[in-house]
Amino acid sequence: MSKPINSFFTLLILIIFSACSSVQVTEEAVADQSVAGVSITSKSTATKAVLANAVVYFEYDQFKLTAKSIQALKGVSELMKRNSKITISIEGHADERGTREYNLALGQRRAESVGNYLVLNGINRNRLITKSYGEERPLSLGSNDTAWSKNRRVEIK
Amino acid sequence: MITNHRYLQASLFSFCIHAALFLYIYGTFDPTTPQTLMISKPLQIELKFDLPSQDVKKQAPIAAKVIATPAEQTPQNIVYSKATVAIQTQQNNALIESSIANLLSEESEIEIDKEKQEISIYAQKIISTIESAWMKPRNIPEDLVANLRLKIRSSGKIIGAELIKSSGNIRFDNSALQAVRRVETFSFFNSIPKNLYEREFQIIAISFNPS
Amino acid sequence: MKKHLALVALLLVPTLSYGELFLEITKGSEDPYKVAMILFEGKTKVSKQLNNIMRNDLIRTGEFSILDEELLLPVKIIDDELVFSDWKLLGMDYLVTGKIVNANNSIDINYEIYDIHKKRKVRSSKVFGIPNQIRQLAHYTSDGIYESITGIKGIAATKLLYVNETKDSKLISSYKLMLADSDGANEKILLSSSEPIISPSWSPDGKRVAYVSFETGIAKVFIQEIASGKREAVVSKDTQISSPSWSPDGKYLSLTLYQDGNAEIYILRLRDRTLTRMTNQFSIDTESSWSPKGNKILFTSGRSGSPQIYELDLRKLNPKAKRISFEGTYNAKASYLPKEEGIIFVHRSDDGLFHIALKYKKENFIRVLTEAKMDESPSVAPNGNMVIYGIKEENLSMLAGFSLSGAKFKLPASNGEVREPAWSNFLR
């Protein structure tokens, strides 16, 4: 490329580009946002505690039944065999550590462990309902080992 | 020919586009050099101070690549390390080609050695100036590389900085551009001999490569 | 040599009433863009409010340092050209000037951005709205400034969802699903309930939310329209469902069902409510989230013996879950960064503490990004530069956030506890 041609083209381009502004120009309207609130009154009725003291505890991260738990559950299954009308709700819980959804699933596994044990012991499956509250309904409010161990539980009602 | 506004507009627009295209392609040539290296796509920039292997009398290549300086400890105990900045001049190939012709002459060899040393010294200065202005962003992936092309006046003032290879991470690219903006002027350019500046330091490419 | 920012912890004092999160910026970051903002002269309440909101929006990104108001110079204009040298001397990278035009029922913000190094104007913009949209006007302006300078889309105009729990004198809890601006201000209640609410999730268009509510006695997923409050359960069967996550095209919801007693991932097609099962094995599979292109799902699975992150490619005929977390014994609640270059998740380190971590796809190690003891529920901002999550401090749950560039901030609740944040998509 020889010099004169270079400078001619440069000049031409500069003229063109000076007309095209390089400032970014924008215009925006703020979007409208309406929000409606809803209030819920709970429709759930507390289940009567048929078996007042039937709580079974678990190790951290575990859903296996401990020997102690099995003892407690033996009593439950006997009670249920004696009275064939009883249906129970088995509610699983977890301590607050870890993620909420995983704890919800863990609570459910714990409830299932209890339910499975009872079924294996001859109780009809449609006499029990299993559910989980994960870490949402702690019994004990602290953030320490004692509180946590109390919260890793299944309640039978 | 019917005078038609739309027609004129269209042809002006078309001219603008062609002109822009031309300027883009034109901009990748350095008009003052005989070399034929055309940057048509992002460069894989590497160090090119090595002389061709036929020449056994040459000394070890003058390195213009800087090893990363050790990481600094900030009071908050967060460590970040400075970048490795590599530099390449556009004239490498031309220099090597022309220097092959002079290989047989001892005198020329010494001259070239001296010049290579000079280039290396200034390259080092450029690297350290930019390095001290560059703050690598945190929490970015390793192995990021961004390359910039700088146009520099003989006074050392950086008049153009262009991202020619994006790292793929906008914050990393931004940090490289920001470093160059902060530097603004290489104060030592005044001491670069004029023809050396014109051949080697008018347009340079810089690679930000911390790993 | 490295410059410490002269950033002081800024407390955004809201001028609004009940129920507003306070924003505390507790840490800045290195090498921010230095910006001088001369906005909205006049000391009216409105201009002060706008100024405050914008400064905080930009500082919170961790990428900006805003010049103190006392150091601002008058803008000098000679021959129609801004005099740049003064700002250069102050070390500024950019100057932003702006005006408010207050008409009958509208407010216009006109702002201009000058590049001090290049010595020219680079942007001239207008944002307009109505008087009760002051906060959004400020956020739109901050985003415009952020985008112009960094080239990255701003998140000041995005929204947050989170759950608030308060206890009365008898220690009985009540729960609210809240919606707020990205800085925690302008709180609105979406749902008020006496039973727990968890796992809020945004629809990609920002018009609906999905969440888990225990109002019927068990975990069930509801979808609610933000503007109207209309809500419905996603599946009419009386079965436990949780962990909703919207697909990027808004047509599907991935869910966790417990139908055979075990948590498994399903995908619900919203159009006809058909359910497709995605996992089928003995361990827990939950916490699904979608890739930005909608072709993959991340989820947490206990199948290896402890919770780990897995990935499912939905385009394959028989998708097989691929494990992608290998460090540590607990990795959960993962979500993709918006360009899919990595994932953010909860990681339990060897000392048993839970933190938020980042893993880039092409690296084989993780980066732990937070320091408290029980960090949880991370949610990534749509530009991939910030993360909000839940922390517990002195037995109180609150929200905290950080930018990848190193800035940190906290949003303590004004009332009770807050947790489970979810960051919306871009809304402008």
Side-chain angles (χ1 to χ4, degrees):
Chain A
M1 290 285 167
S2 60
K3 285 227 161 183
I5 299 180
N6 293 347
S7 31
F8 166 71
F9 274 111
T10 316
L11 193 61
L12 192 60
I13 301 313
L14 281 174
I15 293 172
I16 292 166
F17 272 24
S18 59
C20 321
S21 169
S22 53
V23 176
Q24 192 189 10
V25 179
T26 69
E27 242 187 58
E28 262 190 290
V30 172
D32 187 35
Q33 332 170 296
S34 55
V35 175
V38 177
S39 201
I40 298 281
T41 40
S42 176
K43 304 188 197 97
S44 72
T45 50
T47 49
K48 253 189 330 183
V50 173
L51 306 147
N53 286 320
V55 183
V56 155
Y57 297 94
F58 293 83
E59 298 293 306
Y60 185 35
D61 274 355
Q62 300 295 329
F63 48 83
K64 281 191 323 245
L65 293 173
T66 61
K68 210 167 143 191
S69 310
I70 292 180
Q71 282 306 323
L73 290 177
K74 280 204 171 108
V76 171
S77 78
E78 257 139 54
L79 180 65
M80 288 188 76
K81 281 181 181 148
R82 283 202 302 270
N83 188 341
S84 59
K85 291 230 171 67
I86 294 179
T87 61
I88 56 172
S89 172
I90 305 174
E91 298 172 359
H93 301 261
D95 74 39
E96 61 175 350
R97 294 173 291 177
T99 59
R100 292 197 116 81
E101 284 283 353
Y102 197 83
N103 282 337
L104 190 61
L106 188 56
Q108 182 67 18
R109 284 310 284 283
R110 287 172 175 160
E112 290 294 325
S113 294
V114 168
N116 288 339
Y117 176 83
L118 294 174
V119 165
L120 278 172
N121 266 280
I123 309 293
N124 199 325
R125 197 168 253 289
N126 49 20
R127 293 174 67 188
L128 30 104
I129 297 174
T130 54
K131 56 169 105 165
S132 171
Y133 284 102
E135 59 178 274
E136 309 306 316
R137 290 197 183 291
L139 259 187
S140 178
L141 288 175
S143 290
N144 50 59
D145 281 320
T146 326
W148 291 333
S149 58
K150 290 212 180 91
N151 293 327
R152 296 189 297 268
R153 70 199 191 280
V154 161
E155 287 177 14
I156 304 176
K157 298 180 174 164
Chain B
M1 193 175 82
I2 305 165
T3 310
N4 186 331
H5 275 302
R6 287 237 171 85
Y7 184 77
L8 283 177
Q9 266 182 12
S11 54
L12 179 65
F13 190 58
S14 155
F15 182 67
C16 268
I17 292 185
H18 283 89
L21 272 175
F22 188 85
L23 183 67
Y24 173 72
I25 295 169
Y26 167 78
T28 64
F29 281 97
D30 180 342
T32 62
T33 186
Q35 80 142 355
T36 56
L37 179 68
M38 165 130 141
I39 303 167
S40 58
K41 57 178 178 157
L43 279 184
Q44 207 53 44
I45 295 199
E46 274 162 355
L47 233 23
K48 292 229 197 256
F49 280 105
D50 300 327
L51 286 177
S53 52
Q54 297 101 293
D55 188 3
V56 288
K57 286 191 196 157
K58 286 309 168 221
Q59 305 192 328
I62 298 169
K65 187 169 187 176
V66 175
I67 315 295
T69 54
E72 268 182 33
Q73 203 76 19
T74 71
Q76 289 95 10
N77 263 352
I78 293 168
V79 172
Y80 67 93
S81 58
K82 300 231 183 91
T84 305
V85 177
I87 196 165
Q88 180 214 20
T89 73
Q90 243 186 342
Q91 295 305 310
N92 290 332
N93 293 344
L95 174 66
I96 292 168
E97 275 155 27
S98 62
S99 72
I100 289 174
N102 295 327
L103 276 184
L104 299 172
S105 153
E106 276 255 342
E107 223 178 68
S108 318
E109 280 180 25
I110 295 170
E111 266 178 40
I112 289 165
D113 262 349
K114 254 180 36 188
E115 190 174 75
K116 275 176 53 56
Q117 264 182 348
E118 258 197 293
I119 294 174
S120 162
I121 290 173
Y122 290 120
Q124 274 286 26
K125 284 189 166 172
I126 292 177
I127 290 173
S128 55
T129 310
I130 294 185
E131 269 194 344
S132 59
W134 187 38
M135 297 282 194
K136 192 178 77 161
R138 290 188 194 152
N139 294 318
I140 47 167
E142 298 180 340
D143 300 340
L144 289 184
V145 178
N147 298 333
L148 302 189
R149 182 189 304 121
L150 303 189
K151 293 198 173 89
I152 314 174
R153 287 227 182 98
S154 55
S155 60
K157 185 164 158 72
I158 304 173
I159 52 171
E162 196 193 323
L163 183 72
I164 50 182
K165 174 182 187 290
S166 164
S167 61
N169 181 301
I170 301 183
R171 286 193 302 129
F172 188 85
D173 293 347
N174 284 348
S175 74
L177 288 164
Q178 184 71 336
V180 167
R181 282 160 57 97
R182 292 263 168 82
V183 165
E184 275 197 47
T185 304
F186 295 106
S187 52
F188 54 87
F189 258 51
N190 288 318
S191 44
I192 302 181
K194 182 164 187 240
N195 53 357
L196 190 62
Y197 155 76
E198 276 171 15
R199 260 188 299 120
E200 304 286 342
F201 292 105
Q202 201 170 26
I203 298 182
I204 63 175
I206 304 193
S207 180
F208 289 77
N209 188 350
S211 55
Chain C
M1 188 244 19
K2 80 188 133 19
K3 299 164 200 153
H4 286 281
L5 294 178
L7 264 189
V8 178
L10 268 180
L11 195 65
L12 174 68
V13 180
T15 54
L16 306 181
S17 56
Y18 167 91
E20 188 160 289
L21 290 188
F22 293 109
L23 179 68
E24 267 177 45
I25 296 148
T26 55
K27 199 160 105 87
S29 78
E30 306 277 359
D31 198 26
Y33 292 100
K34 298 199 168 49
V35 178
M37 300 206 317
I38 302 183
L39 296 165
F40 320 137
E41 277 140 20
K43 303 285 178 192
T44 65
K45 202 170 89 158
V46 165
S47 64
K48 272 187 146 180
Q49 193 181 13
L50 284 166
N51 250 316
N52 259 337
I53 295 171
M54 285 176 50
R55 291 175 87 93
N56 281 299
D57 281 345
L58 291 172
I59 291 175
R60 205 155 41 97
T61 65
E63 295 167 74
F64 285 75
S65 162
I66 312 289
L67 187 65
D68 275 344
E69 295 205 46
E70 298 93 55
L71 299 173
L72 285 175
L73 304 167
V75 176
K76 255 201 294 205
I77 305 220
I78 295 180
D79 292 334
D80 270 348
E81 283 276 314
L82 177 74
V83 174
F84 289 92
S85 47
D86 292 342
W87 301 105
K88 194 57 116 19
L89 284 172
L90 278 177
M92 294 291 108
D93 293 318
Y94 294 92
L95 168 69
V96 181
T97 63
K99 284 206 224 348
I100 309 178
V101 176
N102 231 318
N104 250 340
N105 198 27
S106 74
I107 298 190
D108 285 5
I109 296 184
N110 298 305
Y111 64 96
E112 283 162 351
I113 306 180
Y114 296 86
D115 183 329
I116 306 295
H117 294 281
K118 289 193 184 144
K119 293 206 174 62
R120 60 180 180 84
K121 186 177 354 181
V122 290
R123 179 146 165 164
S124 174
S125 291
K126 177 156 110 164
V127 183
F128 50 96
I130 53 182
N132 71 352
Q133 289 176 321
I134 284 287
R135 298 203 80 96
Q136 281 299 93
L137 280 163
H139 291 316
Y140 273 51
T141 309
S142 313
D143 278 345
I145 296 170
Y146 182 80
E147 281 153 19
S148 195
I149 294 177
T150 65
I152 302 170
K153 198 149 182 212
I155 44 86
T158 57
K159 300 271 182 180
L160 299 174
L161 282 174
Y162 47 89
V163 176
N164 165 252
E165 179 183 359
T166 49
K167 291 195 167 90
D168 65 10
S169 47
K170 299 200 192 99
L171 288 188
I172 298 194
S173 291
S174 51
Y175 305 84
K176 294 186 183 61
L177 178 62
M178 311 292 293
L179 170 70
D181 287 358
S182 64
D183 55 6
N186 205 11
E187 275 187 334
K188 300 263 165 45
I189 302 173
L190 290 180
L191 181 72
S192 214
S193 171
S194 52
E195 301 300 320
I197 304 167
I198 64 173
S199 304
S201 166
W202 282 94
S203 70
D205 64 5
K207 300 202 170 115
R208 288 174 297 173
V209 299
Y211 51 86
V212 178
S213 165
F214 283 80
E215 67 200 58
T216 61
I218 57 171
K220 285 178 82 66
V221 171
F222 290 81
I223 294 181
Q224 181 171 330
E225 242 174 62
I226 293 181
S228 66
K230 269 202 312 215
R231 65 196 291 263
E232 52 163 1
V234 289
V235 170
S236 49
K237 272 193 293 181
D238 190 33
T239 168
Q240 277 184 129
I241 311 184
S242 70
S243 196
S245 173
W246 240 291
S247 66
D249 64 5
K251 298 189 179 147
Y252 298 87
L253 210 54
S254 60
L255 300 164
T256 298
L257 270 74
Y258 302 78
Q259 293 196 109
D260 38 9
N262 185 31
E264 304 281 5
I265 313 266
Y266 287 69
I267 293 184
L268 175 79
R269 182 161 60 191
L270 287 168
R271 174 166 53 92
D272 52 9
R273 303 294 152 121
T274 50
L275 273 171
T276 307
R277 185 172 181 152
M278 305 305 300
T279 61
N280 189 358
Q281 47 88 54
F282 60 92
S283 70
I284 292 173
D285 294 310
T286 185
E287 294 180 335
S288 51
S289 71
W290 294 72
S291 67
K293 297 200 189 94
N295 56 339
K296 285 192 278 199
I297 287 193
L298 285 177
F299 65 99
T300 308
S301 176
R303 62 188 69 183
S304 70
S306 67
Q308 299 290 347
I309 317 281
Y310 289 75
E311 196 182 55
L312 256 185
D313 189 336
L314 298 175
R315 286 169 310 186
K316 299 222 167 86
L317 268 180
N318 266 329
K320 282 215 172 61
K322 186 174 93 165
R323 180 171 167 178
I324 60 176
S325 66
F326 293 93
E327 243 178 274
T329 53
Y330 195 118
N331 293 296
K333 189 109 171 65
S335 48
Y336 288 96
L337 290 173
K339 294 205 184 80
E340 232 179 284
E341 67 266 42
I343 59 171
I344 295 272
F345 55 101
V346 176
H347 168 79
R348 185 176 67 196
S349 47
D350 293 333
D351 52 7
L353 303 179
F354 292 87
H355 304 294
I356 310 301
L358 158 69
K359 181 182 176 305
Y360 281 112
K361 204 183 203 157
K362 48 184 178 162
E363 291 173 350
N364 57 8
F365 59 92
I366 72 172
R367 300 157 189 255
V368 173
L369 300 177
T370 64
E371 298 133 1
K373 301 196 207 151
M374 279 189 297
D375 302 331
E376 55 172 29
S377 316
S379 177
V380 185
N383 67 4
N385 270 359
M386 290 172 92
V387 175
I388 194 167
Y389 63 103
I391 61 169
K392 199 151 184 171
E393 217 163 77
E394 281 158 45
N395 257 337
L396 262 189
S397 297
M398 62 177 84
L399 302 183
F402 58 87
S403 70
L404 287 187
S405 60
K408 295 186 190 205
F409 61 90
K410 280 201 193 123
L411 282 85
S414 52
N415 211 344
E417 301 187 88
V418 281
R419 50 180 184 244
E420 301 269 275
W423 213 313
S424 77
N425 211 346
F426 291 112
L427 297 174
R428 48 181 272 273

